[in-house]
Amino acid sequence: GESVGLHLPTLSVQEGDNSIINCAYSNSASDYFIWYKQESGKGPQFIIDIRSNMDKRQGQRVTVLLNKTVKHLSLQIAATQPGDSAVYFCAENNAGNMLTFGGGTRLMVKP
Amino acid sequence: GAVVSQHPSWVICKSGTSVKIECRSLDFQATTMFWYRQFPKQSLMLMATSNEGSKATYEQGVEKDKFLINHASLTLSTLTVTSAHPEDSSFYICSARYSGGDTQYFGPGTRLTVL
């Protein structure tokens, strides 16, 4: 069936470096994608979203890139901080307006 | 804006009892709320979609008689786990979406432990 998946389960970066978290999706009909951050014991927190008519969107220290040709989504975090340590999920909004979550990537920031 | 709360945040109960979890949208009206379950180190799995004033739509494999959902108002949905068993122990998370919106805003989750 359709799925959203991630390439790397764990990403370890040095504080101050940039982080890139990747996500592959398979439903070419999806038109809306979201990145969520989930800290231990908490619910997912909305970070940034992007629609399929865009290929890049920037927020505060975060950028989402969408490559529809290869069905790839990435989240870039600039100047990664210890507070960025969490599990990051990409989610795909399908035609039924339902979210399908990827498996998650754990980001660990080393001081 | 777009704040969602859940209550309780943590509950321990004996096997066979029922547990009710509340999900509230605090600063917006949510025509649709969603209930997810998350096991340790796993992703979120959608259990059901709750529309205000109508019956919930359950995902395949989720027992509607065991997980009772009520969405009586535009700001409140409840999930009742009936006759809970240890295998129901999990992290239950709700989300809410306002009318015409795409983004789901998540609550902080409820940790259920069934002894």
Side-chain angles (χ1 to χ4, degrees):
Chain A
E2 302 290 358
S3 66
V4 177
L6 295 173
H7 298 304
L8 299 173
T10 303
L11 177 65
S12 183
V13 300
Q14 201 71 37
E15 180 179 357
D17 288 352
N18 296 333
S19 302
I20 300 176
I21 302 172
N22 297 302
C23 177
Y25 66 95
S26 57
N27 187 348
S28 57
S30 294
D31 60 359
Y32 180 55
F33 304 87
I34 310 149
W35 280 101
Y36 287 96
K37 171 186 179 183
Q38 187 178 27
E39 297 175 90
S40 182
K42 298 183 179 179
Q45 175 188 357
F46 173 88
I47 300 174
I48 193 168
D49 59 0
I50 189 168
R51 297 196 180 275
S52 59
N53 61 352
M54 303 172 68
D55 53 21
K56 180 180 180 179
R57 190 163 188 225
Q58 288 185 292
Q60 187 176 9
R61 279 202 308 119
V62 295
T63 301
V64 56
L65 298 177
L66 175 63
N67 185 330
K68 294 181 288 296
T69 302
V70 295
K71 299 176 191 172
H72 185 266
L73 193 70
S74 69
L75 176 70
Q76 299 179 3
I77 304 174
T80 312
Q81 302 170 0
D84 295 326
S85 294
V87 176
Y88 290 81
F89 293 97
C90 63
E92 168 187 19
N93 201 48
N94 61 29
N97 218 7
M98 311 292 282
L99 281 182
T100 301
F101 282 83
T105 292
R106 179 173 298 280
L107 176 64
M108 300 175 61
V109 182
K110 297 178 289 186
Chain B
V3 180
V4 177
S5 70
Q6 280 183 243
H7 178 80
S9 57
W10 179 52
V11 57
I12 301 175
C13 69
K14 293 181 179 180
S15 183
T17 60
S18 294
V19 177
K20 180 186 284 188
I21 303 170
E22 294 184 348
C23 177
R24 294 182 185 272
S25 56
L26 299 184
D27 53 0
F28 67 101
Q29 293 186 327
T31 52
T32 307
M33 288 184 170
F34 303 85
W35 287 96
Y36 294 83
R37 182 166 51 185
Q38 185 179 34
F39 292 105
K41 297 183 180 180
Q42 293 188 23
S43 188
L44 283 76
M45 296 298 295
L46 180 65
M47 298 175 66
T49 302
S50 169
N51 291 293
E52 188 268 337
S54 63
K55 291 183 178 180
T57 303
Y58 290 81
E59 294 299 299
Q60 190 173 8
V62 178
E63 300 175 56
K64 61 181 180 181
D65 294 331
K66 181 170 182 62
F67 299 99
L68 302 178
I69 291 173
N70 184 282
H71 192 166
S73 78
L74 286 171
T75 58
L76 173 64
S77 177
T78 60
L79 169 68
T80 300
V81 183
T82 62
S83 187
H85 291 285
E87 58 266 30
D88 298 324
S89 298
S90 188
F91 194 49
Y92 291 87
I93 309 171
C94 73
S95 70
R97 186 179 70 200
Y98 51 81
S99 178
D102 290 337
T103 306
Q104 293 182 27
Y105 297 94
F106 285 82
T110 297
R111 173 76 59 193
L112 171 63
T113 301
V114 185
L115 301 177

